[in-house]
Amino acid sequence: MTSTAATRRPGPAGDDSIVGKLSTLDRYLAVWILLAMALGLGLGRLVPGLGDALAAIETGGISLPIALGLLVMMYPVLAKVRYDRLDRVAGDRRLLVSSLVVNWIVGPAVMFALAWIFLPDLPEYRTGLIIVGLARCIAMVIIWNDLACGDREAAAVLVALNSVFQVLAFGLLGWFYLDLLPRWMNLGDGQGLDVSVWHIALNVVVFLGVPLLAGFLTRRLGERRMGRERYETAFLPKIGPWALYGLLFTIVVLFALQGKTITSQPLDVVRIALPLLVYFAIMFFGTFLLGKGLGLAYDRTATLAFTAAGNNFELAIAVAIATFGATSGQALSGVVGPLIEVPVLIALVHVALAWRKRFAADAVTTAP
C-alpha cells in the first residue's frame, strides 16, 4: 500500500522481514486505524450538526464523502493488479466455487443463525445483522487482501464475481432470510426488505466499477507508455500511499456520520458486537482451513478467507436506512458492523501473515 509495499512482496522469512520492509505508515497501520475511528467518533459526538452535514452530501442514496474515500483507497491497489493474469484465476474452479458457496450460502446462513442466537429479544438489531450478512464485501477486502499478501488477481476476480451475485441475489436472499424462513420456522412475523436492484447495481458500479476501470486503464496505458518494469518500480510507489490515506479518510467520515449514535448506546453496541465477533472468527478461520484443505496456495487461501469474512457495510447501512429509517435499530446494526470489522480484520491480517510461514514450511516439507 505504501511506497515500500507497493511493488515488493514479503518473502517467506516471516514477520520480521515483513516489518522491516514496511514504512512507518504501514508498520503502525492498526494504530492509525484506531486513531481514525476515535477521531471520527469524537468529531461526530462533539461537532454539532457534522453528521447531518455529511449525510446531506449524497446522491442516489450513496454518501459522496464515503464514495470518494473508497475510490481513493481502492484505486492504487487495483492499479497494481496484473490483468493479463486474470485468466489463470478464472480457470481455478476450486477457488471460484468455494468462494461462491462460502459467500452466498454459508455466510448469510451463519449470520442468520448468530443473529437469532444472540439477539432473540431484539428484532430490529437482529434484522440489521442479517442485512449485514447478506451484503458481501466488494470494497475494503481489496485492502485487507493486499496487506496480507493475498493474490491480487484472485481478489479482483472474486470481488467482481461477488458484485454480480450481489446484484442478482441480495433482494432474493433478503426475502428468504427476513420473511420466508422466519415464518417457516415459526420464529414470528417476518420483516420484508424493500430494496431496488438498481440501487444495488449503482452501489456496485460506484464502489467497484469506477476504481476497477481506473486501475485497468492505468495499468494498460502506464505499461504501454513506460514499460512494465518502470511502471511497477517508479509509478506504483508514488500512488501506493494514497490507498492508506483513502482508508483512513473513509473511516473518519464513516464514524463521524454515526459517532453520536454509537456513543449514546454503548450497551446496545456491545450486544450487536458479540455476534459480529463470532461471525468474523467463523468465516475467516473456517474459510482459511477450507482453502488449506483444498490444497490452495497461501496467497489464494488468504484471498478466499478475506473475501468471505468481509462485508459490504456501505450497502448494508444504505439499505437499512432506506428501508427502516436512519434512527432505526436496523441502521445501528449496520453502523456497528464496520466499528467491529475494521479492527478485527486488520488483526486477522497479522494472523494470516503469521500463518504464511506455516504454508511455506509445509511446502518445503512436502516438496519432492
Side-chain angles (χ1 to χ4, degrees):
M1 267 175 64
T2 68
S3 57
T4 30
T7 57
R8 290 190 291 172
R9 290 287 183 144
D15 289 340
D16 292 338
S17 63
I18 291 168
V19 172
K21 291 181 180 181
L22 295 179
S23 70
T24 301
L25 285 174
D26 276 342
R27 191 175 304 163
Y28 299 105
L29 179 60
V31 175
W32 310 139
I33 286 177
L34 291 175
L35 288 175
M37 292 169 63
L39 176 61
L41 289 172
L43 289 173
R45 182 76 183 184
L46 300 175
V47 180
L50 178 61
D52 293 336
L54 289 172
I57 310 174
E58 61 91 27
T59 181
I62 293 176
S63 168
L64 295 182
I66 291 179
L68 174 63
L70 289 171
L71 294 179
V72 173
M73 177 189 76
M74 294 175 65
Y75 165 69
V77 180
L78 290 170
K80 299 175 191 176
V81 171
R82 286 283 302 276
Y83 293 92
D84 56 328
R85 293 178 177 174
L86 294 185
D87 58 334
R88 301 179 187 178
V89 180
D92 190 340
R93 292 186 178 180
R94 293 176 304 170
L95 179 67
L96 299 184
V97 173
S98 298
S99 179
L100 287 176
V101 170
V102 170
N103 271 288
W104 296 102
I105 296 178
V106 177
V110 168
M111 188 68 90
F112 176 84
L114 291 175
W116 275 97
I117 291 171
F118 282 88
L119 303 170
D121 57 328
L122 297 171
E124 289 190 1
Y125 296 158
R126 185 175 64 236
T127 297
L129 278 184
I130 294 172
I131 294 173
V132 170
L134 299 179
R136 311 312 301 169
C137 194
I138 65 170
M140 279 195 176
V141 70
I142 296 288
I143 294 292
W144 311 134
N145 176 76
D146 205 54
L147 287 171
C149 300
D151 189 319
R152 289 175 186 149
E153 289 69 40
V157 170
L158 295 186
V159 165
L161 195 63
N162 268 349
S163 301
V164 173
F165 270 78
Q166 196 147 253
V167 174
L168 298 176
F170 186 92
L172 179 62
L173 288 174
W175 166 75
F176 178 77
Y177 281 107
L178 295 176
D179 191 10
L180 180 64
L181 191 57
R183 292 177 184 274
W184 181 69
M185 297 178 65
N186 292 321
L187 296 173
D189 293 334
Q191 288 186 288
L193 186 61
D194 183 18
V195 54
S196 166
V197 170
W198 298 112
H199 175 72
I200 299 172
L202 178 62
N203 188 280
V204 170
V205 168
V206 171
F207 295 129
L208 176 64
V210 172
L212 184 61
L213 178 61
F216 172 77
L217 292 176
T218 300
R219 165 70 75 167
R220 185 77 176 265
L221 298 176
E223 286 190 0
R224 186 177 298 173
R225 186 171 181 178
M226 296 183 286
R228 177 167 295 166
E229 182 177 356
R230 189 172 167 221
Y231 173 84
E232 293 188 343
T233 59
F235 177 73
L236 288 182
K238 291 181 179 179
I239 67 171
W242 284 93
L244 177 54
Y245 304 151
L247 172 64
L248 296 178
F249 174 80
T250 302
I251 291 171
V252 170
V253 172
L254 182 66
F255 289 107
L257 277 166
Q258 305 293 341
K260 187 174 182 180
T261 302
I262 292 174
T263 56
S264 63
Q265 302 181 61
L267 294 180
D268 289 350
V269 169
V270 172
R271 288 287 305 270
I272 298 169
L274 290 176
L276 281 170
L277 287 171
V278 176
Y279 170 82
F280 291 132
I282 291 174
M283 295 302 294
F284 180 82
F285 291 108
T287 307
F288 213 103
L289 292 174
L290 172 64
K292 189 170 176 60
L294 291 173
L296 299 177
Y298 165 80
D299 56 353
R300 292 195 174 178
T301 298
T303 299
L304 184 65
F306 279 104
T307 52
N311 292 87
N312 186 356
F313 58 80
E314 307 89 5
L315 176 61
I317 293 171
V319 169
I321 291 175
T323 306
F324 302 103
T327 60
S328 65
Q330 292 88 341
L332 179 61
S333 291
V335 171
V336 174
L339 176 68
I340 305 304
E341 179 180 270
V342 171
V344 166
L345 288 189
I346 194 62
L348 290 176
V349 166
H350 292 283
V351 172
L353 290 173
W355 281 1
R356 190 170 185 259
K357 293 185 292 184
R358 175 64 64 86
F359 270 78
D362 290 348
V364 172
T365 302
T366 59

